[in-house]
Amino acid sequence: MPSARTASSAGRRAGAATRGLGLLGSAELERLRRFGTTRHAPVGTVVAASGSVVTQVHVVASGEIELRARLEKGRATTALVRAGGVVGDIPLLLGHPMPFDAVASRDTECVTLTRERWTEVLQGSPDLALRWMTSIARRLDDDRRRLVVMASRPLVGQVAYVLLDFAEQAPGGRSVVHLSHTTLAHLLGVRRPSVSRVLAELRATGLVRARYGRTELLDLDGLRHLAGGDPLP
């Protein structure tokens, strides 16, 4: 399910969700394995259900989990949690039910901790507790910045921002986004045909190469220009 800010904050943060900036790193994950249970969640597994009582936190070791809001006409993806990201800690702290369905969108490995074990770990490790606070702050800050982009930028800038934000490094050094047009539309709160139209424009100008479920970023500087400046100080 998650970096320095630049003239295009999103541009410099391309792939931030996979680099672990502001997230729990490999050292923290290894420490957590000693206190939690490692589980494998194949694609489609519901790791946590919307409306359920939250008694555990799930740290993504590898793979990807989508957070999907239940709507009248189905579900909408609101966030992606990748390696080092966490599911369930904020509602557990607030005493709220799980607000989204957390569904594995790739084969995923999680480290799951009960409330008691999680509390024990954080109380016994101030440095890990601080890192966890940073993780929460980064997730909230990223959500806030995306909302500002959605409210203040033209759609082409919004799409460029999200593409840069969720890019991953592919073999050969290319930056690639493994998200469908529907998921990109959900993340921006717009209609799928609108996203498809913008992607067609980006493809026509040589900025991206797109096919179903995969968008290759060919011109990062051009996308950064479209994404615009940092949406917040």
Side-chain angles (χ1 to χ4, degrees):
M1 105 236 60
S3 55
R5 311 289 174 180
T6 74
S8 170
S9 134
R12 192 161 163 189
R13 291 192 311 124
T18 57
R19 291 199 303 269
L21 298 175
L23 305 179
L24 301 178
S26 57
E28 288 83 8
L29 284 169
E30 288 308 310
R31 292 164 66 183
L32 292 172
R33 288 183 194 277
R34 300 197 297 268
F35 292 87
T37 301
T38 300
R39 60 179 293 197
H40 176 243
V43 174
T45 300
V46 179
V47 176
S50 176
S52 62
V53 176
V54 180
T55 60
Q56 300 175 324
V57 296
H58 310 277
V59 183
V60 177
S62 64
E64 179 183 88
I65 290 176
E66 290 189 8
L67 301 184
R68 301 174 182 173
R70 296 186 185 182
L71 307 176
E72 289 185 4
K73 297 183 179 180
R75 294 173 174 172
T77 299
T78 62
L80 303 177
V81 185
R82 293 175 176 167
V86 185
V87 173
D89 53 348
I90 294 177
L92 192 153
L93 286 169
L94 296 175
H96 291 172
M98 187 68 190
F100 309 110
D101 287 318
V103 182
S105 46
R106 304 178 187 173
D107 284 342
T108 299
E109 183 182 79
C110 293
V111 179
T112 299
L113 295 94
T114 64
R115 178 198 301 267
E116 293 75 17
R117 294 296 272 173
W118 183 50
T119 302
E120 177 186 346
V121 171
L122 296 186
Q123 288 178 339
S125 178
D127 62 324
L128 180 56
L130 180 59
R131 185 64 184 268
W132 208 297
M133 289 172 59
T134 304
S135 169
I136 292 175
R138 172 62 66 203
R139 282 175 270 153
L140 296 175
D141 186 63
D142 284 349
D143 287 346
R144 181 182 61 166
R145 289 174 184 277
R146 180 152 50 96
L147 286 172
V148 171
V149 168
M150 291 162 59
S152 64
R153 305 285 164 84
L155 184 57
V156 65
Q158 297 178 40
V159 171
Y161 184 94
V162 170
L163 288 176
L164 290 164
D165 204 28
F166 288 101
E168 301 175 85
Q169 204 72 13
R174 289 288 192 184
S175 294
V176 175
V177 177
H178 296 282
L179 299 175
S180 68
H181 293 191
T182 297
T183 298
L184 288 169
H186 288 169
L187 290 169
L188 291 169
V190 299
R191 299 180 60 193
R192 181 188 181 282
S194 299
V195 168
S196 296
R197 173 179 53 79
V198 169
L199 287 172
E201 294 172 1
L202 297 179
R203 185 170 58 248
T205 54
L207 295 177
V208 305
R209 180 184 297 123
R211 61 175 184 265
Y212 182 77
R214 174 188 167 96
T215 303
E216 186 177 350
L217 311 188
L218 303 179
D219 184 348
L220 295 177
D221 287 337
L223 290 170
R224 292 181 186 119
H225 177 74
L226 289 177
D230 194 335
L232 291 172

